Amino acid sequence: MKFRSLIFANLFRKKVRLTLTIGSFAIALVLFTFLAVVNSAFSRGIDIAGADRLVIVNRIGLIQTMPISYDDQVRAIPGVKFVTHDHWFGGVYQEEKNFFPQFVIDVENHRKVYPEFIVPDDQWNTFVKDQQGAIAGATTAKRFGWKVGDRIPIKNSLYGPTKTWEFNLDGIYHTAKADGDQGQFWLQWKNFDENVPAVVKSTAGWYILKLDSPDDAVRVAKTIDAKFANSSYETKTETESAFAAGFAKQFGNIEFLILTIGSVVFFTLLLVTGNTMAISVRERTGELAVLKAIGVTDGTILFLVLAESTVIALFGGLLGLLLAWVAIPVISAAVTGLLPPLLLSKTMLSLGLVFAVFVGVVSGLLPGISAMRMRVVNALRRV
Amino acid sequence: MIRVDGQGSGKSLIQVRGLTKTYRRGGEEIQVLQRLNLDVDKGDFVGFMGPSGSGKTTLLNLLGGLDVPSQGSITVDGDEITHMSGSKLTQWRARHVGFIFQMYNLIPVLTAFQNVELPLLLTKLSKAERRKHVETALNVVGLTNRMNHYPRQLSGGQEQRVTIARAIVSDPTFLLCDEPTGDLDRKSADEIMALIEELVANHGKTVLMVTHDAVVAARAHTTLHLDKGVLVEASKLEQGVVAGGVA
């Protein structure tokens, strides 16, 4: 590119201003990337939800249970391939801050419904035979330094007086995808059912069913809810993605919040870079007039301004993404248990870069167009 | 041969016919140039003088295709520029006009070499060819040894030499100089004028120059006075004869 030396020479003309602009851009982009990562973390459950899975919850709310007898009744509905059920355990390992989700699972059907959770067969078979057994996700096991064979004490006060439940860690599961949820802790429903008060016995927190075909989803959901209508335990059946979205919304309207803050960040970036370019162009009115006088076309003038703003945005963007890449794993580790794992994917990095370039181009447009439209005679008169 | 009576042979390099420029300022119409005629041949060196506000710079801007006249025509080397579109005019300027400004107007963040190279970036010349042209231009102005200096590292006279090198590097049809010595001391001004004379004498350049300085103007082949929008040859001014019939 013939004008490269002019673009870079102009760029480094005011080094302090350039540094401050790039710094502002980088910090804003770190914030923007962090928000995008949080949003992605909350919607990850929705993204990975199986299209052929339905979730049945008590119509009153998620914390209300349903009879275990629903299992067979649901299984009998045409189009239902497998049924399994979960229960929220809600215990505390050592102290409150060590939060991780603990599910009481149905060992017979869990793997059939959730093939994406991978447990080595020998570990699974040990778990099935061991009523006090447990399986932990790789992330949680790593977090607490657990290994297979460890004894895990978990204090629980949700079901009767506070007591410590002891579990044998029989296995560790992974997920097929790297960004899958590897933070859960599973224990056996049989063990749970024997040790909870009568009021909780023979109940399930929610049911998950796998369908023969996603096309059956609406029909099966309607059939289930109609079947249990007007009973003591009315149901609400929805697709797994709708369930995950509803679950995420319990934390507030994350998407709206992130969109709002993201928009503010976006416009701040536009203003910061646009302002820098506007000042820079105003300072160089005479020089731009000379360039036009010697035959530089309006299009090239616009290109020079846009190239400059884009390079600023690109530098700021790269710095911001680098900072985000370093900071997000640290933040993720610090908020483990409070938020889902925060992962900065390559796609997000690429999108961040595209976003930076977009902001660069847009912020340079107005000053660029004004430079392009500048009348040489008037501009030279001001020199 | 320079004429201001509109009776040129039609073969002149620059032909100006009935050139009028009118500005509107606060509802009032100001006629800066009035039906002005001018013929300049290749290799001529014309000096324009006149009081402030007489329209010297306006005339230069019109001749350089930086502004458009209200009426009349300007033909340069057979091209009538007065009806060219903005983009065509830009391309025409790049090919035909070399500008030399009073305040030099160099790009401060570029070296002398890079400043001189600027007009060549608009051509299809290779990097090696551009270098050759730039070195030749800097050699003509005697600044080969300063090619890597930034404008702030040069004296006023040297800066103006770089401007001249930039103006001649693409071998334009003619040079327009707006007060080329206006910001220089007498010695530097003399050197710059000697350089411009050399460009005319040895390189066959056509130069149109605006100046306030009678000493500088005297070095041109012909000095034209611009007053109240009309051009008068210096020699005829003394006799009270004004071109265009306006006394």
Side-chain angles (χ1 to χ4, degrees):
Chain A
M1 194 188 14
K2 290 176 180 176
F3 287 97
R4 191 178 51 227
S5 56
L6 181 61
I7 293 166
F8 280 91
N10 279 328
L11 204 60
F12 292 101
R13 180 185 288 243
K14 304 267 184 187
K15 292 188 182 68
V16 174
R17 186 168 67 200
L18 176 72
T19 310
L20 291 175
T21 307
I22 288 178
S24 317
F25 201 103
I27 288 168
L29 202 71
V30 169
L31 179 60
F32 195 83
T33 311
F34 179 70
L35 292 172
V37 165
V38 171
N39 187 36
S40 153
F42 275 104
S43 59
R44 196 174 304 132
I46 302 164
D47 296 338
I48 62 171
D52 59 349
R53 286 199 293 243
L54 294 180
V55 177
I56 309 169
V57 295
N58 190 307
R59 183 162 284 280
I60 297 168
L62 189 57
I63 57 167
Q64 301 297 319
T65 58
M66 291 168 288
I68 201 71
S69 58
Y70 278 15
D71 192 310
D72 291 335
Q73 295 179 63
V74 169
R75 198 183 306 271
I77 294 170
V80 175
K81 198 172 180 182
F82 303 115
V83 180
T84 190
H85 54 81
D86 280 3
H87 224 302
W88 182 252
F89 187 65
V92 173
Y93 174 66
Q94 293 176 336
E95 47 188 329
E96 294 280 350
K97 71 179 177 70
N98 291 340
F99 172 83
F100 53 91
Q102 301 135 22
F103 297 119
V104 179
I105 66 161
D106 152 33
V107 292
E108 286 171 35
N109 298 294
H110 191 268
R111 284 177 108 189
K112 294 175 193 162
V113 176
Y114 289 112
E116 65 266 37
F117 294 125
I118 301 158
V119 185
D121 284 342
D122 57 330
Q123 292 182 3
W124 181 260
N125 292 335
T126 310
F127 172 58
V128 170
K129 287 178 202 152
D130 178 9
Q131 204 164 301
Q132 283 195 329
I135 301 269
T139 312
T140 298
K142 189 179 171 194
R143 182 178 162 201
F144 298 113
W146 295 340
K147 53 189 184 303
V148 173
D150 281 357
R151 192 98 172 132
I152 315 290
I154 294 185
K155 204 159 48 182
N156 188 293
S157 54
L158 281 183
Y159 307 102
T162 303
K163 75 168 187 179
T164 299
W165 298 50
E166 299 250 344
F167 300 101
N168 306 314
L169 188 64
D170 293 327
I172 290 170
Y173 81 82
H174 292 81
T175 53
K177 284 186 180 175
D179 63 348
D181 180 1
Q182 299 186 113
Q184 300 176 19
F185 183 85
W186 304 334
L187 48 133
Q188 283 210 35
W189 182 80
K190 208 180 254 182
N191 180 25
F192 173 79
D193 196 56
E194 283 177 9
N195 289 286
V196 288
V199 69
V200 189
K201 277 187 192 298
S202 301
T203 62
W206 59 92
Y207 288 94
I208 309 99
L209 31 145
K210 196 171 173 74
L211 302 170
D212 286 325
S213 159
D215 298 340
D216 294 333
V218 175
R219 179 184 57 79
V220 172
K222 279 185 178 169
T223 308
I224 293 168
D225 290 345
K227 189 176 184 68
F228 302 116
N230 301 317
S231 73
S232 305
Y233 303 95
E234 289 193 328
T235 59
K236 182 182 165 194
T237 308
E238 55 193 351
T239 59
E240 194 179 31
S241 56
F243 173 74
F247 191 78
K249 274 193 179 154
Q250 288 182 100
F251 295 91
N253 196 339
I254 304 287
E255 203 168 353
F256 174 75
L257 200 70
I258 283 166
L259 199 70
T260 309
I261 301 172
S263 304
V264 172
V265 171
F266 173 71
F267 283 107
T268 307
L269 280 177
L270 275 186
L271 292 177
V272 166
T273 320
N275 185 48
T276 301
M277 286 315 299
I279 293 171
S280 178
V281 165
R282 203 161 50 241
E283 282 171 353
R284 280 184 274 148
T285 302
E287 291 169 31
L288 290 168
V290 170
L291 288 178
K292 290 179 90 165
I294 65 172
V296 175
T297 61
D298 289 348
T300 307
I301 293 286
L302 177 65
F303 167 77
L304 290 174
V305 176
L306 287 184
E308 214 174 298
S309 64
T310 307
V311 171
I312 291 176
L314 207 58
F315 281 174
L318 284 172
L319 182 65
L321 291 173
L322 181 71
L323 289 174
W325 186 67
V326 172
I328 284 173
V330 177
I331 297 170
S332 182
V335 298
T336 304
L338 297 173
L339 290 177
L342 305 176
L343 301 170
L344 180 56
S345 64
K346 281 180 187 163
T347 313
M348 242 179 253
L349 284 171
S350 311
L351 282 175
L353 212 56
V354 170
F355 173 75
V357 170
F358 176 71
V359 170
V361 172
V362 174
S363 61
L365 265 180
L366 222 58
I369 290 171
S370 87
M372 197 173 90
R373 289 184 176 166
M374 176 180 69
R375 287 198 68 221
V376 184
V377 173
N378 295 344
L380 283 175
R381 206 173 287 148
R382 290 206 294 268
V383 176
Chain B
M1 176 73 177
I2 295 155
R3 297 183 69 114
V4 293
D5 56 3
Q7 304 298 313
S9 64
K11 290 178 183 172
S12 306
L13 179 71
I14 300 170
Q15 289 177 61
V16 177
R17 293 290 178 267
L19 194 70
T20 301
K21 182 68 183 177
T22 310
Y23 291 113
R24 286 192 75 82
R25 194 173 294 158
E28 191 190 348
E29 207 162 75
I30 301 164
Q31 201 158 36
V32 184
L33 301 176
Q34 300 177 36
R35 298 187 303 279
L36 193 143
N37 297 312
L38 178 67
D39 285 87
V40 178
D41 284 343
K42 189 172 177 350
D44 276 342
F45 180 10
V46 195
F48 296 101
M49 288 195 75
S52 293
S54 60
K56 301 185 299 293
T57 301
T58 300
L59 176 60
L60 223 58
N61 288 338
L62 290 170
L63 291 171
L66 295 175
D67 204 353
V68 286
S70 307
Q71 276 177 30
S73 67
I74 300 169
T75 308
V76 178
D77 208 10
D79 294 332
E80 217 225 275
I81 65 165
T82 30
H83 295 112
M84 282 184 183
S85 66
S87 58
K88 276 258 186 283
L89 211 49
T90 304
Q91 288 169 10
W92 176 83
R93 281 200 304 272
R95 217 169 46 245
H96 294 285
V97 193
F99 289 95
I100 299 167
F101 304 98
Q102 178 183 353
M103 300 306 295
Y104 330 130
N105 288 354
L106 296 173
I107 310 288
V109 289
L110 297 182
T111 61
F113 182 95
Q114 289 169 324
N115 266 291
V116 177
E117 190 188 21
L118 276 175
L120 300 181
L121 297 179
L122 308 168
T123 67
K124 289 179 178 170
L125 293 176
S126 68
K127 197 175 175 184
E129 288 169 324
R130 291 202 303 268
R131 169 164 279 279
K132 199 174 150 196
H133 280 74
V134 173
E135 284 173 354
T136 305
L138 284 168
N139 188 38
V140 168
V141 301
L143 278 181
T144 316
N145 59 338
R146 299 286 174 125
M147 64 166 71
N148 294 320
H149 286 60
Y150 287 91
R152 66 175 181 278
Q153 298 167 319
L154 301 172
S155 68
Q158 287 170 331
E159 279 196 72
Q160 194 59 296
R161 282 167 182 272
V162 177
T163 309
I164 293 171
R166 183 178 68 187
I168 62 171
V169 73
S170 55
D171 193 22
T173 308
F174 65 107
L175 300 178
L176 290 178
C177 314
D178 192 359
E179 302 272 10
T181 58
D183 206 45
L184 299 175
D185 58 43
R186 178 54 64 195
K187 184 173 175 290
S188 300
D190 279 344
E191 287 169 5
I192 291 299
M193 286 318 299
L195 181 57
I196 292 174
E197 282 174 332
E198 188 195 326
L199 290 173
V200 175
N202 301 340
H203 298 273
K205 294 287 167 205
T206 307
V207 177
L208 291 87
M209 174 182 72
V210 160
T211 181
H212 268 111
D213 188 336
V215 177
V216 168
R219 299 177 78 153
H221 297 165
T222 306
T223 304
L224 300 174
H225 281 265
L226 194 58
D227 194 15
K228 294 178 183 154
V230 290
L231 274 176
V232 187
E233 285 181 55
S235 55
K236 291 179 181 172
L237 190 69
E238 290 160 6
Q239 301 162 24
V241 181
V242 176
V246 183

